[in-house]
Amino acid sequence: AFRFMRKSLGLRASDVAALFGLDAATVSRWETGKVSVDRCALVALAAAASEKLRGNEETIERLRTLQAGKRPARTLRVNYEKAS
């Protein structure tokens, strides 16, 4: 699934590794099933792939901004409800 989402975004494994500050070998191990995919990376990539289907690239642009060492222009707020 991770590889499929990466490819749907038109990214190389080395591109994804750079976006998440990882070694390309880590992405390779995720994609071959040698180690479990980091949940945060999986969620971020899934969000980016889902947005692309809707013609939006906000998540991938935020990742690129962070990769460049800059702060995103807008604040992102996440609201959640704790399950009881």
Side-chain angles (χ1 to χ4, degrees), residues 2-75:
F2 192 88
R3 180 182 294 140
F4 176 81
M5 288 185 291
R6 173 182 62 77
K7 288 185 174 189
S8 75
L9 290 165
L11 298 173
R12 297 173 301 177
S14 60
D15 298 330
V16 171
L19 284 174
F20 293 118
L22 303 168
D23 186 65
T26 300
V27 175
S28 175
R29 286 191 291 272
W30 288 348
E31 292 185 352
T32 58
K34 292 181 181 174
V35 295
S36 296
V37 177
D38 178 84
R39 283 186 182 191
C40 292
L42 182 61
V43 168
L45 202 65
S50 176
E51 287 175 355
K52 185 172 182 178
L53 289 173
R54 295 188 307 266
N56 182 354
E57 293 191 356
E58 187 173 346
T59 298
I60 201 76
E61 289 306 318
R62 282 181 182 274
L63 289 169
R64 287 181 177 140
T65 298
L66 292 170
Q67 176 192 12
K70 300 176 185 175
R71 292 187 64 154
R74 298 184 316 178
T75 301

